[in-house]
C-alpha cells in the first residue's frame, strides 16, 4: 500500500510539472447527506496535461477541505484536511464537462478527530485519519475562464459517512 501511495504521489508530481496547458482553481462547498457531516468548504488548484480544446484531459490536483462534523460521538466538531488527487475530464459539449477526481485526504494539524466512548473519552486507535475519495462532477462552463459545477463527493471512510453533495465555482488560470 505504501509503495502504491509513493507511485501515485510521484505520478501526480510529474503531471503537475509537465502541465502548462491548463490550470484551474476551484472553490466549493457541500452539505452532508447523513447526520455525520453537516458541511464542508474547499479550495483546490489543478494542472492539466492538454489544452482546453481537448475532448479528454488528465491532471493533478492539490487542495484543502474544512469539514464540519455533526456527530456527538467525535472528539472534535471540525477538521482541516489536505488533498492530493488525480483528475480525468471529458468535454461533453462546448458548455458541459464531466470530471472525476480521485485521491487521498490527509488530516492537517493536531489533534486528530477520534471517536468517543460513553464516558466521553477517546477510543484508542479510532482516529479519522487518511482516507480516499472520489468526486464525479458536472460543470457548466459560462465561458473559457469561469464555470459552475455540481458534484457528489464519495469519501471512503468505514466508520463515518462523510459523503456530501457539492456546489462550486471554477476559475481558469491558463491565460489563453
Amino acid at each position: 500500500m505504501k509503495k502504491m501511495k509513493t507511485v501515485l504521489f510521484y505520478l501526480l508530481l510529474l503531471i503537475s510539472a509537465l502541465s502548462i496547458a491548463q490550470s484551474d482553481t476551484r472553490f466549493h462547498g457541500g452539505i452532508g447527506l447523513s447526520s455525520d457531516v453537516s458541511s464542508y468548504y474547499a479550495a483546490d488548484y489543478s494542472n492539466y496535461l492538454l489544452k482546453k480544446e481537448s475532448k479528454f484531459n488528465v491532471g493533478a490536483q492539490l487542495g484543502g477541505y474544512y469539514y464540519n462534523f455533526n456527530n456527538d460521538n467525535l472528539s472534535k466538531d471540525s477538521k482541516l484536511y489536505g488533498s492530493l488527487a488525480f483528475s480525468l475530464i471529458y468535454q461533453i459539449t462546448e458548455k458541459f464537462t464531466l470530471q472525476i477526481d480521485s485521491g487521498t485526504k490527509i488530516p492537517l494539524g493536531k489533534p486528530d478527530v477520534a471517536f468517543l466512548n460513553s464516558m466521553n473519552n477517546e477510543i484508542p486507535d479510532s482516529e479519522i485519519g487518511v482516507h480516499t475519495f472520489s468526486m464525479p462532477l458536472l460543470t457548466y462552463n459560462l465561458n473559457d475562464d469561469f464555470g459552475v459545477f455540481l458534484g457528489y463527493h464519495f469519501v471512503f471512510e468505514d466508520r463515518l459517512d462523510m459523503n456530501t453533495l457539492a456546489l462550486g465555482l471554477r476559475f481558469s488560470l491558463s491565460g489563453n
Side-chain angles (χ1 to χ4, degrees):
M1 183 68 153
K2 187 172 182 168
K3 186 177 182 179
M4 188 165 151
K5 286 182 183 179
T6 304
V7 169
L8 178 62
F9 176 74
Y10 284 111
L11 178 64
L12 290 172
L13 279 179
L14 178 64
I15 290 172
S16 292
L18 296 174
S19 300
I20 57 172
Q22 180 182 350
S23 298
D24 286 341
T25 299
R26 297 186 317 192
F27 297 98
H28 48 104
I31 57 170
L33 299 175
S34 74
S35 61
D36 290 338
V37 172
S38 60
S39 63
Y40 87 89
Y41 306 97
D44 51 52
Y45 174 76
S46 304
N47 280 329
Y48 300 98
L49 283 175
L50 305 173
K51 295 187 185 255
K52 291 180 193 177
E53 298 79 25
S54 302
K55 194 86 166 154
F56 292 96
N57 212 338
V58 63
Q61 180 187 105
L62 181 65
Y65 288 77
Y66 185 79
Y67 277 93
N68 292 307
F69 297 110
N70 192 25
N71 186 323
D72 294 335
N73 296 325
L74 295 176
S75 60
K76 291 181 71 177
D77 292 335
S78 60
K79 183 67 179 170
L80 181 64
Y81 289 88
S83 72
L84 187 61
F86 183 73
S87 298
L88 297 172
I89 297 178
Y90 175 68
Q91 186 80 34
I92 299 170
T93 67
E94 184 179 321
K95 291 289 187 182
F96 287 97
T97 57
L98 177 64
Q99 180 170 339
I100 299 176
D101 300 335
S102 293
T104 300
K105 288 194 184 134
I106 303 157
L108 302 174
K110 295 286 181 187
D112 288 330
V113 176
F115 283 94
L116 302 175
N117 62 21
S118 59
M119 303 292 283
N120 269 355
N121 296 321
E122 287 188 15
I123 299 171
D125 299 323
S126 69
E127 293 84 13
I128 308 298
V130 175
H131 52 269
T132 57
F133 71 94
S134 186
M135 183 166 77
L137 51 103
L138 182 65
T139 302
Y140 176 74
N141 299 304
L142 302 169
N143 57 37
D144 284 346
D145 296 324
F146 299 101
V148 178
F149 65 87
L150 180 65
Y152 187 84
H153 202 174
F154 295 97
V155 178
F156 302 102
E157 169 56 49
D158 293 336
R159 298 165 289 181
L160 194 65
D161 185 356
M162 296 173 65
N163 295 344
T164 55
L165 186 61
L167 181 65
L169 298 172
R170 176 197 59 82
F171 303 95
S172 177
L173 303 174
S174 301
N176 294 6

